[in-house]
Coordinates of all heavy atoms in Angstrom, one line a residue:
M1062 N 0.8 -1.2 0.0 CA 0.0 0.0 0.0 C 0.9 1.3 0.0 O 0.6 2.2 -0.7 CB -0.9 0.0 1.2 CG -1.9 1.1 1.3 SD -3.1 1.1 0.0 CE -4.2 2.3 0.6
Q1063 N 1.9 1.3 0.9 CA 2.7 2.5 0.9 C 3.6 2.6 -0.3 O 3.9 3.7 -0.7 CB 3.6 2.4 2.2 CG 2.9 2.8 3.4 CD 3.8 3.2 4.5 OE1 5.0 2.9 4.4 NE2 3.3 3.8 5.5
D1064 N 4.0 1.5 -0.9 CA 4.7 1.6 -2.2 C 3.9 2.2 -3.3 O 4.4 3.0 -4.0 CB 5.2 0.2 -2.6 CG 6.3 -0.4 -1.7 OD1 6.9 0.4 -1.0 OD2 6.4 -1.6 -1.7
A1065 N 2.7 1.9 -3.4 CA 1.8 2.4 -4.4 C 1.6 3.9 -4.2 O 1.6 4.7 -5.1 CB 0.5 1.7 -4.4
R1066 N 1.4 4.3 -2.9 CA 1.2 5.7 -2.6 C 2.5 6.5 -2.9 O 2.5 7.6 -3.5 CB 0.8 5.9 -1.1 CG 0.3 7.2 -0.8 CD -0.4 7.3 0.5 NE 0.4 6.7 1.6 CZ 0.0 5.6 2.3 NH1 -1.1 5.1 2.1 NH2 0.8 5.1 3.3
L1067 N 3.7 6.0 -2.5 CA 4.9 6.6 -2.8 C 5.2 6.7 -4.3 O 5.6 7.8 -4.8 CB 6.1 5.9 -2.1 CG 7.5 6.5 -2.2 CD1 7.5 7.9 -1.7 CD2 8.5 5.6 -1.6
R1068 N 4.9 5.7 -5.0 CA 5.1 5.7 -6.5 C 4.2 6.7 -7.1 O 4.6 7.4 -8.0 CB 4.7 4.3 -7.0 CG 5.2 4.1 -8.4 CD 4.9 2.7 -8.9 NE 5.4 1.7 -8.0 CZ 4.6 0.7 -7.5 NH1 3.3 0.6 -7.9 NH2 5.1 -0.2 -6.7
K1069 N 3.0 6.8 -6.6 CA 2.0 7.8 -7.2 C 2.5 9.2 -6.9 O 2.4 10.1 -7.7 CB 0.6 7.6 -6.5 CG -0.5 8.2 -7.3 CD -1.8 7.9 -6.7 CE -2.0 6.4 -6.5 NZ -3.3 6.1 -5.8
L1070 N 3.1 9.5 -5.7 CA 3.6 10.8 -5.3 C 4.8 11.1 -6.2 O 4.9 12.2 -6.7 CB 4.0 10.8 -3.8 CG 4.6 12.1 -3.3 CD1 3.6 13.2 -3.3 CD2 5.1 11.9 -1.9
L1071 N 5.7 10.2 -6.3 CA 6.9 10.4 -7.2 C 6.5 10.6 -8.6 O 7.1 11.5 -9.3 CB 7.9 9.3 -7.0 CG 8.5 9.2 -5.7 CD1 9.4 7.9 -5.6 CD2 9.3 10.4 -5.3
L1072 N 5.5 9.9 -9.1 CA 5.0 10.1 -10.5 C 4.5 11.5 -10.7 O 4.8 12.2 -11.6 CB 4.0 9.1 -10.8 CG 3.3 9.3 -12.2 CD1 4.3 9.0 -13.3 CD2 2.1 8.4 -12.3
G1073 N 3.7 12.0 -9.7 CA 3.2 13.3 -9.7 C 4.3 14.4 -9.7 O 4.2 15.4 -10.4
L1074 N 5.3 14.2 -8.8 CA 6.4 15.1 -8.8 C 7.2 15.1 -10.0 O 7.7 16.2 -10.4 CB 7.2 14.8 -7.5 CG 6.6 15.1 -6.2 CD1 7.5 14.6 -5.1 CD2 6.3 16.5 -6.0
G1075 N 7.3 14.0 -10.7 CA 8.0 13.9 -11.9 C 7.3 14.5 -13.1 O 7.9 15.1 -14.0
L1076 N 6.0 14.4 -13.1 CA 5.2 15.0 -14.2 C 5.1 16.5 -14.1 O 4.9 17.1 -15.2 CB 3.8 14.4 -14.2 CG 3.7 12.9 -14.6 CD1 2.2 12.5 -14.5 CD2 4.1 12.8 -16.0
L1077 N 5.2 17.1 -12.9 CA 5.0 18.5 -12.8 C 6.0 19.3 -13.7 O 5.6 20.2 -14.5 CB 5.1 19.0 -11.4 CG 3.8 18.6 -10.5 CD1 4.0 19.1 -9.1 CD2 2.6 19.2 -11.1
P1078 N 7.3 19.1 -13.6 CA 8.3 19.9 -14.4 C 8.1 19.6 -15.9 O 8.3 20.5 -16.7 CB 9.6 19.5 -13.9 CG 9.5 18.3 -13.0 CD 8.0 18.2 -12.7
I1079 N 7.8 18.3 -16.3 CA 7.6 18.0 -17.7 C 6.4 18.8 -18.2 O 6.4 19.5 -19.3 CB 7.4 16.5 -17.9 CG1 8.6 15.8 -17.5 CG2 7.0 16.2 -19.3 CD1 8.5 14.3 -17.4
G1080 N 5.3 18.8 -17.5 CA 4.1 19.5 -17.9 C 4.3 21.0 -17.9 O 3.9 21.7 -18.8
W1081 N 5.1 21.5 -17.0 CA 5.4 23.0 -16.9 C 6.2 23.4 -18.1 O 5.9 24.4 -18.7 CB 6.1 23.3 -15.6 CG 6.4 24.8 -15.6 CD1 7.6 25.4 -15.8 CD2 5.5 25.8 -15.3 NE1 7.5 26.7 -15.6 CE2 6.2 27.0 -15.4 CE3 4.1 25.9 -15.1 CZ2 5.6 28.3 -15.2 CZ3 3.5 27.1 -14.9 CH2 4.3 28.3 -15.0
V1082 N 7.2 22.6 -18.5 CA 8.0 23.0 -19.6 C 7.2 23.0 -20.9 O 7.3 23.9 -21.7 CB 9.2 22.0 -19.8 CG1 9.9 22.2 -21.1 CG2 10.2 22.3 -18.7
L1083 N 6.4 22.0 -21.1 CA 5.5 21.9 -22.3 C 4.5 23.1 -22.3 O 4.3 23.7 -23.3 CB 4.8 20.6 -22.4 CG 5.7 19.4 -22.8 CD1 4.8 18.1 -22.7 CD2 6.2 19.6 -24.2
F1084 N 3.9 23.3 -21.1 CA 2.8 24.3 -21.1 C 3.3 25.7 -21.2 O 2.9 26.5 -22.0 CB 2.0 24.1 -19.8 CG 1.0 25.1 -19.5 CD1 -0.1 25.2 -20.4 CD2 1.0 26.0 -18.5 CE1 -1.1 26.2 -20.2 CE2 0.1 27.0 -18.3 CZ -1.0 27.0 -19.1
E1085 N 4.3 26.1 -20.3 CA 4.7 27.5 -20.2 C 5.8 27.8 -21.2 O 5.7 28.8 -21.9 CB 5.2 27.7 -18.8 CG 5.6 29.2 -18.5 CD 4.4 30.1 -18.7 OE1 3.3 29.8 -18.5 OE2 4.7 31.3 -19.1
V1086 N 6.9 27.0 -21.2 CA 8.0 27.4 -22.0 C 7.8 27.2 -23.5 O 7.9 28.1 -24.3 CB 9.3 26.6 -21.6 CG1 10.5 26.9 -22.4 CG2 9.6 26.9 -20.1
L1087 N 7.4 26.0 -23.9 CA 7.2 25.7 -25.3 C 5.8 26.3 -25.8 O 5.7 26.8 -26.9 CB 7.2 24.2 -25.6 CG 8.6 23.6 -25.4 CD1 8.5 22.1 -25.7 CD2 9.6 24.2 -26.3
G1088 N 4.8 26.2 -25.0 CA 3.5 26.7 -25.3 C 3.5 28.2 -25.5 O 2.8 28.8 -26.3
G1089 N 4.3 28.9 -24.7 CA 4.4 30.3 -24.8 C 5.1 30.8 -26.1 O 5.0 32.0 -26.4
R1090 N 5.7 30.0 -26.8 CA 6.4 30.4 -28.0 C 5.4 30.8 -29.1 O 5.8 31.5 -30.0 CB 7.3 29.3 -28.5 CG 8.5 29.1 -27.7 CD 9.5 28.2 -28.3 NE 10.7 28.1 -27.5 CZ 11.7 27.4 -27.9 NH1 11.7 26.7 -29.0 NH2 12.8 27.4 -27.1
S1091 N 4.2 30.3 -29.0 CA 3.3 30.7 -30.1 C 2.9 32.1 -30.1 O 2.5 32.6 -31.1 CB 2.0 29.8 -29.9 OG 1.3 30.2 -28.7
S1092 N 3.2 32.8 -29.0 CA 2.9 34.3 -29.0 C 4.1 35.1 -29.6 O 3.9 36.3 -29.8 CB 2.6 34.7 -27.6 OG 3.8 34.5 -26.8
Q1093 N 5.2 34.5 -29.8 CA 6.4 35.2 -30.4 C 6.3 35.2 -31.9 O 5.9 34.2 -32.5 CB 7.7 34.5 -29.9 CG 7.8 34.6 -28.4 CD 9.1 33.9 -27.9 OE1 9.9 33.4 -28.7 NE2 9.2 33.8 -26.6
E1094 N 6.7 36.2 -32.5 CA 6.6 36.4 -33.9 C 7.4 35.4 -34.7 O 6.9 34.9 -35.7 CB 7.1 37.8 -34.3 CG 6.9 38.2 -35.7 CD 5.4 38.3 -36.1 OE1 4.6 38.7 -35.3 OE2 5.0 37.8 -37.2
Q1095 N 8.6 35.0 -34.2 CA 9.4 34.1 -35.0 C 8.9 32.7 -35.0 O 9.3 31.9 -35.9 CB 10.9 34.1 -34.4 CG 10.9 33.6 -33.0 CD 12.3 34.0 -32.4 OE1 13.0 34.8 -32.9 NE2 12.6 33.3 -31.3
Y1096 N 8.0 32.3 -34.2 CA 7.4 31.0 -34.1 C 6.0 31.0 -34.7 O 5.3 30.0 -34.5 CB 7.4 30.5 -32.7 CG 8.8 30.3 -32.1 CD1 9.3 31.2 -31.2 CD2 9.7 29.3 -32.6 CE1 10.5 31.1 -30.6 CE2 10.9 29.2 -32.1 CZ 11.4 30.1 -31.1 OH 12.6 29.9 -30.6
R1097 N 5.5 32.0 -35.3 CA 4.1 32.1 -35.8 C 3.8 31.0 -36.8 O 2.7 30.5 -36.8 CB 3.8 33.4 -36.5 CG 3.8 34.6 -35.5 CD 2.5 34.5 -34.7 NE 2.6 35.7 -33.8 CZ 1.7 36.0 -32.9 NH1 0.6 35.2 -32.8 NH2 1.8 37.0 -32.1
S1098 N 4.7 30.5 -37.6 CA 4.4 29.5 -38.6 C 4.1 28.2 -37.9 O 3.4 27.3 -38.5 CB 5.6 29.3 -39.5 OG 6.8 28.9 -38.8
D1099 N 4.6 27.9 -36.7 CA 4.3 26.7 -36.0 C 3.4 26.9 -34.8 O 3.4 26.2 -33.8 CB 5.6 26.1 -35.5 CG 6.6 25.7 -36.6 OD1 6.0 25.3 -37.7 OD2 7.8 25.7 -36.4
E1100 N 2.5 27.9 -35.0 CA 1.6 28.2 -33.9 C 0.7 27.1 -33.4 O 0.5 26.9 -32.2 CB 0.8 29.4 -34.3 CG -0.1 30.0 -33.1 CD -0.8 31.2 -33.5 OE1 -0.8 31.6 -34.7 OE2 -1.5 31.8 -32.7
D1101 N 0.2 26.3 -34.4 CA -0.6 25.2 -34.0 C 0.2 24.1 -33.2 O -0.4 23.5 -32.3 CB -1.2 24.5 -35.2 CG -2.2 25.4 -35.9 OD1 -2.7 26.4 -35.3 OD2 -2.4 25.2 -37.1
L1102 N 1.4 23.9 -33.6 CA 2.2 22.9 -32.8 C 2.4 23.3 -31.4 O 2.3 22.5 -30.5 CB 3.6 22.7 -33.5 CG 4.6 21.9 -32.8 CD1 4.2 20.5 -32.7 CD2 6.0 22.0 -33.4
Y1103 N 2.8 24.6 -31.2 CA 3.0 25.1 -29.9 C 1.8 25.2 -29.0 O 1.8 25.0 -27.8 CB 3.8 26.4 -29.9 CG 5.2 26.3 -30.4 CD1 5.6 26.9 -31.6 CD2 6.1 25.5 -29.7 CE1 6.9 26.7 -32.1 CE2 7.4 25.3 -30.2 CZ 7.8 25.9 -31.3 OH 9.0 25.8 -31.8
T1104 N 0.6 25.4 -29.7 CA -0.6 25.4 -29.0 C -1.0 24.0 -28.5 O -1.4 23.7 -27.4 CB -1.8 25.9 -29.8 OG1 -1.4 27.3 -30.2 CG2 -3.1 25.9 -29.1
L1105 N -0.7 23.0 -29.4 CA -0.9 21.6 -29.0 C 0.0 21.2 -27.9 O -0.4 20.5 -26.9 CB -0.7 20.7 -30.2 CG -0.9 19.2 -30.0 CD1 -2.3 18.9 -29.6 CD2 -0.5 18.5 -31.3
L1106 N 1.3 21.6 -28.0 CA 2.2 21.3 -26.9 C 1.7 21.9 -25.6 O 1.9 21.3 -24.5 CB 3.6 21.8 -27.2 CG 4.4 21.0 -28.3 CD1 5.7 21.7 -28.6 CD2 4.6 19.6 -27.8
S1107 N 1.2 23.1 -25.6 CA 0.7 23.8 -24.4 C -0.5 23.0 -23.8 O -0.6 22.8 -22.6 CB 0.3 25.2 -24.8 OG -0.2 25.8 -23.7
L1108 N -1.4 22.5 -24.7 CA -2.5 21.7 -24.2 C -2.1 20.4 -23.6 O -2.6 20.0 -22.5 CB -3.5 21.5 -25.3 CG -4.3 22.7 -25.8 CD1 -5.1 22.4 -27.0 CD2 -5.1 23.3 -24.7
V1109 N -1.1 19.7 -24.2 CA -0.6 18.5 -23.7 C 0.1 18.7 -22.4 O 0.0 18.0 -21.4 CB 0.3 17.8 -24.7 CG1 1.1 16.6 -24.1 CG2 -0.4 17.3 -25.9
G1110 N 0.9 19.8 -22.3 CA 1.5 20.2 -21.0 C 0.5 20.4 -19.9 O 0.8 20.1 -18.8
M1111 N -0.6 21.1 -20.2 CA -1.6 21.4 -19.2 C -2.2 20.1 -18.7 O -2.4 19.9 -17.5 CB -2.7 22.3 -19.8 CG -3.7 22.7 -18.8 SD -4.9 23.9 -19.5 CE -5.4 23.1 -21.0
L1112 N -2.4 19.1 -19.6 CA -3.0 17.8 -19.2 C -2.0 17.1 -18.3 O -2.4 16.5 -17.3 CB -3.3 17.0 -20.4 CG -4.6 17.4 -21.2 CD1 -4.7 16.6 -22.4 CD2 -5.8 17.4 -20.3
I1113 N -0.7 17.1 -18.7 CA 0.3 16.4 -17.9 C 0.4 17.1 -16.5 O 0.6 16.4 -15.5 CB 1.7 16.5 -18.6 CG1 1.6 15.6 -19.8 CG2 2.8 16.0 -17.7 CD1 2.8 15.6 -20.7
L1114 N 0.4 18.4 -16.4 CA 0.3 19.1 -15.1 C -0.8 18.7 -14.3 O -0.7 18.4 -13.1 CB 0.3 20.6 -15.4 CG 1.6 21.4 -15.4 CD1 1.3 22.9 -15.9 CD2 2.3 21.4 -14.1
A1115 N -2.0 18.6 -14.9 CA -3.2 18.2 -14.2 C -3.1 16.8 -13.6 O -3.4 16.5 -12.5 CB -4.4 18.4 -15.1
V1116 N -2.6 15.9 -14.4 CA -2.4 14.5 -14.0 C -1.4 14.4 -12.8 O -1.6 13.7 -11.9 CB -2.0 13.6 -15.2 CG1 -1.5 12.2 -14.7 CG2 -3.1 13.4 -16.1
G1117 N -0.3 15.2 -12.9 CA 0.7 15.3 -11.9 C 0.1 15.8 -10.6 O 0.3 15.2 -9.5
L1118 N -0.7 16.8 -10.7 CA -1.3 17.4 -9.5 C -2.3 16.4 -8.9 O -2.4 16.3 -7.6 CB -2.0 18.7 -9.8 CG -1.1 19.9 -10.0 CD1 -1.9 21.1 -10.5 CD2 -0.3 20.2 -8.8
V1119 N -3.1 15.7 -9.7 CA -4.1 14.8 -9.2 C -3.3 13.6 -8.5 O -3.8 13.2 -7.4 CB -5.0 14.2 -10.3 CG1 -5.7 13.0 -9.9 CG2 -5.9 15.3 -10.8
C1120 N -2.3 13.1 -9.1 CA -1.5 12.1 -8.4 C -1.0 12.5 -7.1 O -1.1 11.7 -6.1 CB -0.3 11.7 -9.3 SG -0.7 10.7 -10.7
I1121 N -0.5 13.7 -7.0 CA 0.0 14.2 -5.7 C -1.1 14.3 -4.7 O -1.0 13.9 -3.5 CB 0.8 15.5 -5.9 CG1 2.1 15.3 -6.7 CG2 1.1 16.2 -4.5 CD1 2.7 16.6 -7.1
L1122 N -2.2 14.9 -5.1 CA -3.3 15.1 -4.2 C -3.9 13.8 -3.7 O -4.3 13.7 -2.5 CB -4.4 16.0 -4.8 CG -3.9 17.5 -5.0 CD1 -5.0 18.2 -5.8 CD2 -3.6 18.1 -3.7
V1123 N -4.0 12.8 -4.6 CA -4.6 11.5 -4.2 C -3.7 10.8 -3.2 O -4.1 10.2 -2.2 CB -4.8 10.7 -5.5 CG1 -5.1 9.2 -5.1 CG2 -6.0 11.2 -6.2
S1124 N -2.4 10.9 -3.4 CA -1.5 10.2 -2.5 C -1.5 10.9 -1.1 O -1.4 10.2 -0.1 CB 0.0 10.2 -3.1 OG 0.5 11.5 -3.2
I1125 N -1.6 12.2 -1.1 CA -1.7 12.9 0.2 C -3.0 12.6 0.9 O -3.0 12.3 2.1 CB -1.5 14.5 0.0 CG1 -0.1 14.8 -0.4 CG2 -2.0 15.2 1.2 CD1 0.1 16.2 -0.9
Y1126 N -4.1 12.5 0.1 CA -5.4 12.2 0.7 C -5.3 10.8 1.3 O -5.8 10.5 2.4 CB -6.5 12.3 -0.4 CG -7.8 11.7 0.0 CD1 -8.6 12.4 0.9 CD2 -8.2 10.4 -0.4 CE1 -9.8 11.8 1.3 CE2 -9.4 9.9 0.0 CZ -10.2 10.6 0.8 OH -11.4 10.1 1.2
E1127 N -4.7 9.8 0.5 CA -4.7 8.5 1.1 C -3.8 8.4 2.3 O -4.1 7.6 3.2 CB -4.1 7.5 0.0 CG -5.0 7.3 -1.2 CD -4.4 6.5 -2.3 OE1 -3.2 6.2 -2.2 OE2 -5.2 6.1 -3.2
W1128 N -2.7 9.2 2.4 CA -1.9 9.2 3.5 C -2.6 9.7 4.7 O -2.6 9.2 5.8 CB -0.6 10.0 3.3 CG 0.3 10.1 4.5 CD1 1.1 9.1 4.9 CD2 0.4 11.2 5.3 NE1 1.8 9.6 6.0 CE2 1.3 10.9 6.3 CE3 -0.2 12.5 5.4 CZ2 1.7 11.7 7.3 CZ3 0.2 13.3 6.4 CH2 1.1 13.0 7.4
I1129 N -3.4 10.8 4.5 CA -4.1 11.4 5.6 C -5.2 10.5 6.1 O -5.5 10.3 7.3 CB -4.7 12.8 5.2 CG1 -3.6 13.8 5.0 CG2 -5.8 13.3 6.2 CD1 -4.0 15.2 4.5
R1130 N -5.9 9.8 5.2 CA -6.9 8.9 5.5 C -6.4 7.7 6.4 O -7.0 7.3 7.3 CB -7.6 8.3 4.3 CG -8.9 7.6 4.5 CD -9.5 7.2 3.3 NE -8.7 6.3 2.6 CZ -8.9 5.7 1.4 NH1 -10.0 6.1 0.7 NH2 -8.1 4.9 0.8
E1131 N -5.2 7.3 6.0 CA -4.5 6.2 6.8 C -4.1 6.7 8.2 O -4.3 5.9 9.1 CB -3.3 5.7 6.0 CG -2.7 4.5 6.7 CD -1.5 4.0 5.9 OE1 -1.6 3.8 4.7 OE2 -0.4 3.8 6.6
V1132 N -3.6 7.9 8.3 CA -3.3 8.4 9.6 C -4.5 8.6 10.5 O -4.5 8.2 11.7 CB -2.5 9.8 9.4 CG1 -2.4 10.5 10.7 CG2 -1.2 9.6 8.8
I1133 N -5.6 9.1 9.9 CA -6.8 9.2 10.7 C -7.4 7.8 11.1 O -7.8 7.7 12.2 CB -7.9 10.0 9.9 CG1 -7.4 11.5 9.8 CG2 -9.2 9.9 10.5 CD1 -8.3 12.3 8.9
R1134 N -7.3 6.9 10.2 CA -7.8 5.5 10.5 C -6.9 4.9 11.6 O -7.5 4.2 12.5 CB -7.7 4.7 9.3 CG -8.5 3.4 9.4 CD -8.5 2.6 8.2 NE -9.0 3.3 7.1 CZ -8.7 3.1 5.8 NH1 -7.8 2.2 5.5 NH2 -9.3 3.8 4.9
A1135 N -5.6 5.2 11.7 CA -4.8 4.6 12.7 C -4.9 5.3 14.0 O -4.5 4.8 15.1 CB -3.3 4.6 12.2
W1136 N -5.4 6.5 14.0 CA -5.5 7.3 15.2 C -6.7 6.9 16.0 O -7.2 6.5 16.7 CB -5.6 8.8 14.8 CG -5.7 9.7 16.0 CD1 -5.0 9.6 17.1 CD2 -6.4 10.9 16.0 NE1 -5.2 10.7 17.9 CE2 -6.1 11.5 17.3 CE3 -7.3 11.6 15.2 CZ2 -6.7 12.7 17.6 CZ3 -7.8 12.7 15.6 CH2 -7.5 13.3 16.8

């Protein structure tokens, strides 16, 4: 049980920087003039990054919730 929770937490922590780079850094390029020809690509990368960020946050929140629930149950 604890291995699954720890794995989920680490997965969430690993997905956050990947999602952030795709969403903010690469997705933000579509607003720059030199990248206008690939605007659709950078918009797609931004959307994929946003989804990865959301999955990472959900993984972290679920693992924290499960940990709190276990602590309350043991108390």
Side-chain angles (χ1 to χ4, degrees):
M1062 181 70 169
Q1063 281 198 345
D1064 289 340
R1066 195 171 45 243
L1067 181 61
R1068 193 175 313 122
K1069 200 177 305 179
L1070 178 67
L1071 292 176
L1072 175 68
L1074 290 174
L1076 287 177
L1077 287 180
I1079 295 169
W1081 179 256
V1082 166
L1083 287 174
F1084 176 65
E1085 183 63 30
V1086 179
L1087 293 179
R1090 288 187 176 184
S1091 65
S1092 63
Q1093 297 174 7
E1094 188 64 37
Q1095 61 193 22
Y1096 298 107
R1097 288 286 177 183
S1098 63
D1099 296 328
E1100 185 174 4
D1101 293 338
L1102 171 68
Y1103 291 115
T1104 302
L1105 180 64
L1106 286 174
S1107 179
L1108 291 173
V1109 169
M1111 184 173 53
L1112 289 174
I1113 292 173
L1114 267 173
V1116 168
L1118 287 174
V1119 167
C1120 286
I1121 292 170
L1122 291 175
V1123 166
S1124 67
I1125 290 172
Y1126 170 76
E1127 289 173 353
W1128 178 77
I1129 290 173
R1130 192 175 65 183
E1131 183 179 312
V1132 166
I1133 290 174
R1134 194 178 301 152
W1136 185 37

